[in-house]
Amino acid sequence: MFLNSAGRYDPRLTANIDMGCHAFVMDQTNAIFFLDSYTITHDRATIRHPNKTLIIVQDPTTEQDPDFKDHVRKHPAVQDIPRLLLVEPRGDEIDLYTHWFKGTSEEAAELLFLDTYSTRNESFLWEADLFPDKTMNMERKMYRLASFRLIPHFIFTPIYDEPWIALYKNQTMRIDGMGGLVMVEFCGKYNCTWDLQIDQAGEWGVIYDNGTGDGIIGTVAERRADVGVGSLLTWQTTHKFLAFTATIRKVGICGFAPRPRLLPPWQTVILAFEPEVWLYIGISVVCCIATYALMAGFETHVKTKGVGWNAMNVIAVFLFQGAGILYRTLPECILSIALIAFTINVGNIFVGKNASLRTFPLFESPIDTDADIANRDIIWTQTHEAWVHSLLLSQNPIVQKVVANFRAHAVPELLVLANQGHVAFGVSKLNYGHYMIGTFITAQNVHLYRLMKEDLYFEYEVSMTTKTWPLIDRLSDLILRIVASGIRAYQEPIVAKRYMDYGVQIKIFHSQDKEEVPPHAMEVEDLLLAYMVLGVGLSLGVVAFAGEYLFHWHMGRKQSWAVKAK
């Protein structure tokens, strides 16, 4: 294929890469254009094959460019292609070169003579390995690592006069944390170093449609870093731009919700019955009053009382108070006996239930599922929108409501909210009993919250790289070996004790334990409902008295005017 060298991008290259092509043979006329378009071509491809092979053949029939090999070896793209072979025909012999690839940038660009092939003898002079493995010992080659301070996943601290594998702004650093230790082991095994690219404000970051961004994923997408680490999850929107390593761990994202508050004692009286039962009792009262009034309307031989009198007597019976029960006729007698029997049963049930509710204190219903967050319109929050990236494409209305209820705040704002105890917080469950929650949950406010019983969702943690980083297979292999060894069960508690408030961790772990409410003497609050009923009764009595007084006063004045008029 003759590449379209008029521009920096030929879509046919991307199409072939997506069909699985990862080895390229070309002459020198296409080589420089291919290297110029190497990054953009692979960034637009879907297939990510890290082990690229590039063979460049110089044409012996054309005039040789003396600077061609120098252009190739100094090209930035060849630092992503360890399997590079330069073929230089020379009469009956063909010289074969590759680049050093390892060490400093100057050393990595040096050409290495591999072997000479004789076309007459059809044999190699030295029988050298034409594609040596250059990745087993990188000789302190420096790669760029994007992250930010994220306890317990990535922590970096300055060191002095000690062996180092990481630099940050020309300061030697020690890397720690669950994800940081993977990067330490990687460079310890393959003898490389890290140049840290820290974007603390951007945190996990975001990638825009044009490939730019900030934070970890934005830095890697813009190729300001080769690798990103720090509790990065398998976000579908990110996979378009970056390559994912093997899974580091399974991540459960849960909510740390406000603890159910103890219900005021006066509410327990109302909660003795469900709202439907209270409705049925109210309907029963109305029906009894209406029946008494109906019976009285058909009785012409007895003196009847008004509807108000019947209503007060029926209500008095329901409250176990003395009442003028009507026994004047057989229908009234039957209804009165039934009413008394009914109220005795209902009243005894109510008294027993109310007593049991006061024996076992009642709490608000807990927030345990994503449906609870959606139905009760609970706001939940964290420091970055990455906490809901995995839910954005869901069509479930409950999940959509959970996403709509998410808010991102800075840490100082989160500390204020945490002290108030009215919103929920996202929490990441580690694999061995610890939680990534944030420094805003402290020993002073952790008691206000309770861990939800069900996760909001789960994801898989990975490390992310550029699509052409040649060591992604090496990193994935190391991750799988670390996970299989079980060493993370040993690392996690060490990192947690070193950088996290272990008292807070213990309280989070036990936050679902039943809250003990010791017995206590009755207080005014326990009688609050009785006082409320008494207050309503007194108020209504005063209003009725005032109304009757004004009515009789008005009628008296009206009669006096009529006498004067006569």
Side-chain angles (χ1 to χ4, degrees), residues 279-291:
L279 177 62
Y280 297 152
I281 292 175
I283 294 174
S284 301
V285 171
V286 173
C287 290
C288 290
I289 296 171
T291 304

Side-chain angles (χ1 to χ4, degrees), residues 270-426:
I270 301 174
L271 295 175
F273 292 147
E274 290 287 338
E276 294 85 355
V277 178
W278 286 114
L279 177 62
Y280 297 152
I281 292 175
I283 294 174
S284 301
V285 171
V286 173
C287 290
C288 290
I289 296 171
T291 304
Y292 274 123
L294 181 64
M295 291 178 180
F298 285 95
E299 294 293 340
T300 59
H301 60 282
V302 296
K303 186 177 180 180
T304 61
K305 301 288 186 180
V307 175
W309 186 88
N310 287 323
M312 296 304 298
N313 274 275
V314 170
I315 294 173
V317 172
F318 272 88
L319 297 177
F320 291 173
Q321 302 299 312
I325 302 298
L326 296 178
Y327 296 102
R328 298 168 301 181
T329 63
L330 181 61
E332 288 182 345
C333 181
I334 295 174
L335 178 58
S336 298
I337 293 174
L339 179 60
I340 293 173
F342 174 73
T343 54
I344 289 175
N345 279 279
V346 173
N348 288 333
I349 293 172
F350 174 80
V351 170
K353 184 64 175 179
N354 188 41
S356 65
L357 292 178
R358 290 186 178 275
T359 303
F360 301 99
L362 294 181
F363 293 85
E364 295 176 339
S365 57
I367 302 171
D368 281 333
T369 65
D370 54 354
D372 293 333
I373 290 181
N375 296 335
R376 296 170 62 175
D377 208 21
I378 298 296
I379 298 299
W380 67 293
T381 180
Q382 256 292 347
T383 59
H384 195 274
E385 291 82 0
W387 288 82
V388 293
H389 279 178
S390 299
L391 304 176
L392 295 178
L393 300 180
S394 175
Q395 299 300 315
N396 188 324
I398 292 178
V399 176
Q400 291 177 341
K401 181 63 175 178
V402 170
V403 173
N405 285 355
F406 178 80
R407 304 290 186 274
H409 293 283
V411 173
E413 296 172 342
L414 290 174
L415 180 59
V416 174
L417 293 173
N419 291 332
Q420 295 173 353
H422 300 309
V423 301
F425 297 91

Side-chain angles (χ1 to χ4, degrees), residues 449-466:
Y449 300 92
R450 176 179 178 273
L451 200 65
M452 291 171 54
K453 289 185 177 181
E454 295 184 11
D455 292 346
L456 296 174
Y457 64 93
F458 78 90
E459 269 283 11
Y460 294 99
E461 180 186 345
V462 296
S463 178
M464 299 184 186
T465 72
T466 61

Side-chain angles (χ1 to χ4, degrees), residues 465-514:
T465 72
T466 61
K467 290 185 178 181
T468 58
W469 194 57
L471 302 184
I472 185 172
D473 280 352
R474 298 290 189 194
L475 181 55
S476 293
D477 178 73
L478 178 65
I479 289 172
L480 294 175
R481 290 177 182 273
I482 290 175
V483 173
S485 70
I487 195 172
R488 293 178 67 85
Y490 171 76
Q491 292 176 336
E492 183 179 305
I494 292 178
V495 173
K497 291 179 181 178
R498 186 177 295 167
Y499 298 104
M500 304 167 74
D501 190 327
Y502 214 67
V504 171
Q505 292 289 310
I506 294 297
K507 290 180 180 178
I508 294 175
F509 183 81
H510 290 284
S511 62
Q512 293 181 355
D513 293 351
K514 183 179 179 181

Side-chain angles (χ1 to χ4, degrees), residues 129-279:
D129 184 359
L130 300 185
F131 296 101
D133 190 346
K134 305 172 185 177
T135 61
M136 292 303 295
N137 181 2
M138 301 302 297
E139 298 186 8
R140 305 285 290 175
K141 184 180 180 72
M142 181 169 286
Y143 288 104
R144 297 162 299 176
L145 177 64
S147 190
F148 67 100
R149 182 177 177 84
L150 179 64
I151 299 174
H153 295 287
F154 194 86
I155 304 100
F156 56 98
T157 52
I159 56 175
Y160 304 91
D161 301 327
E162 296 181 34
W164 59 274
I165 63 168
L167 284 177
Y168 177 55
K169 296 182 178 179
N170 295 323
Q171 169 66 58
T172 55
M173 293 285 172
R174 176 187 292 112
I175 299 177
D176 203 350
M178 301 301 294
L181 289 173
V182 175
M183 300 298 114
V184 171
E185 291 298 322
F186 179 81
C187 274
K189 182 174 183 179
Y190 296 107
N191 192 21
C192 62
T193 58
W194 295 114
D195 181 16
L196 299 183
Q197 307 294 314
I198 305 299
D199 185 356
Q200 192 67 36
E203 295 190 351
W204 290 278
V206 64
I207 303 177
Y208 304 105
D209 291 337
N210 61 0
T212 62
D214 60 1
I216 297 178
I217 59 176
T219 301
V220 179
E222 292 183 358
R223 291 184 174 266
R224 291 181 282 119
D226 303 294
V227 187
V229 68
S231 194
L232 298 170
L233 307 184
T234 50
W235 299 310
Q236 182 176 352
T237 54
T238 306
H239 187 259
K240 174 183 176 182
F241 302 94
L242 305 176
F244 294 175
T245 65
T247 299
I248 299 175
R249 68 184 180 102
K250 181 181 177 181
V251 181
I253 303 299
C254 190
F256 200 45
R259 180 179 291 278
R261 283 181 276 271
L262 186 67
L263 290 177
W266 65 270
Q267 289 188 10
T268 60
V269 179
I270 301 174
L271 295 175
F273 292 147
E274 290 287 338
E276 294 85 355
V277 178
W278 286 114
L279 177 62

